[in-house]
Amino acid sequence: MEKLILYNGPNSPFGRKAKITAIFHKIQLEEKIIKVQESEFLDNFNPLRKIPTLVINNNQTIIDSDNICLYFDEISSIETLFKKENYWKIMSTISVANGIMESVLERRMELIRPSNEQSKGFINKQEIRTFRTINWLEKNWDNYEKKISMDQIAIAVALEYTKFRFTDSWSKDCQKLNEWLSDFNSNDFMKLTIPKEAG
Ligand SMILES: N[C@@H](CCC(=O)N[C@@H](CS)C(=O)NCC(=O)O)C(=O)O
């Protein structure tokens, strides 16, 4: 059996997506929570020094959460999260959800810079993009069935990360999305991966 090490952080939304996919597919792995900025060793595996990074048998690396999720899906014998008949719709919706995570993360990174170096325009742009995209998801609501797919996981992680790092003010105007999210949060893989403030 392959030895899988998932380098992750305590509250990375991209890492949460990968972890949830591993839990869903019952994949055994060792998760190592690291401080990415201080983890020079990771450069040997991933020159971008980003989490999540998956290392297989200490020699092969899978970079980027979407590739890690696809890899877990491929090695699993459990039903796929990337159904062939909806494949491109699922992939595009994952990219939309990833965009929310990126905007919320970029906003946060800007806000923790010294205040004289922060750009209000940049922060504003990320906030507008986040709200516009969440509203788009509400408008293009898919009436998700019970069957879990990768786009649902990505949307749930993106919305929870928005609540964690920015705001839940969108929930009043996006009731379908919010109701669905409350329901989806009852899955064990959501409960087991709630983001934590870094210690
Ligand atoms: N597209 C990448 C994004 C990963 C990413 O941005 N990770 C952040 C943490 S949430 C990171 O490692 N940042 C470290 C840095 O930029 O120095 C993925 O999906 O895995």
Side-chain angles (χ1 to χ4, degrees):
M1 211 170 84
E2 280 164 335
K3 182 175 176 345
L4 303 176
I5 299 182
L6 181 69
Y7 290 101
N8 207 349
N11 50 41
S12 163
F14 304 101
R16 188 178 188 189
K17 235 171 43 178
K19 180 92 186 286
I20 288 174
T21 306
I23 295 172
F24 177 88
H25 278 305
K26 299 190 178 7
I27 286 171
Q28 297 300 318
L29 56 76
E30 186 183 345
E31 186 188 30
K32 291 196 175 170
I33 303 292
I34 57 170
K35 289 187 177 159
V36 67
Q37 274 84 9
E38 297 165 20
S39 299
E40 213 179 313
F41 76 91
L42 199 64
D43 303 358
N44 294 324
F45 299 111
N46 180 353
L48 302 171
R49 202 193 291 180
K50 287 197 178 199
I51 44 167
T53 295
L54 181 73
V55 178
I56 307 167
N57 291 335
N58 218 27
N59 60 26
Q60 190 191 347
T61 307
I62 305 214
I63 292 171
D64 200 285
S65 59
D66 291 331
N67 292 329
I68 297 172
C69 294
L70 281 163
Y71 174 75
F72 289 155
D73 202 75
E74 190 181 280
I75 62 170
S76 159
S77 50
I78 292 170
E79 209 177 348
T80 180
L81 290 165
F82 299 84
K83 273 243 153 60
K84 283 284 162 282
E85 59 266 36
N86 290 330
Y87 186 78
W88 292 111
K89 187 164 189 287
I90 291 172
M91 295 311 275
S92 295
T93 308
I94 294 169
S95 295
V96 168
N98 287 347
I100 297 173
M101 297 175 212
E102 277 158 20
S103 280
V104 174
L105 177 67
E106 292 286 346
R107 172 186 176 277
R108 154 97 183 156
M109 296 315 286
E110 191 69 11
L111 281 169
I112 60 177
R113 283 155 60 95
S115 55
N116 62 331
E117 289 177 20
Q118 290 176 17
S119 159
K120 290 242 165 7
F122 181 82
I123 293 167
N124 202 26
K125 181 177 170 187
Q126 303 312 324
E127 294 184 351
I128 290 171
R129 179 179 284 153
T130 302
F131 287 130
R132 187 175 60 232
T133 309
I134 295 176
N135 284 323
W136 183 92
L137 284 172
E138 172 79 7
K139 226 160 98 198
N140 292 281
W141 180 243
D142 203 13
N143 280 322
Y144 286 122
E145 302 158 28
K146 286 278 169 233
K147 207 174 267 304
I148 291 164
S149 52
M150 196 63 225
D151 50 343
Q152 294 179 37
I153 293 172
I155 292 172
V157 169
L159 294 175
E160 282 302 318
Y161 189 63
T162 307
K163 289 205 263 177
F164 177 64
R165 280 291 187 230
F166 176 25
T167 181
D168 67 353
S169 65
W170 48 269
S171 58
K172 284 192 272 13
D173 294 331
C174 300
Q175 282 184 10
K176 283 183 279 189
L177 212 48
N178 196 42
E179 271 170 36
W180 167 80
L181 181 63
S182 306
D183 196 38
F184 198 77
N185 277 339
S186 64
N187 283 299
D188 280 349
F189 55 68
M190 291 302 286
K191 291 193 216 156
L192 289 167
T193 58
I194 293 170
K196 298 180 190 66
E197 282 298 346

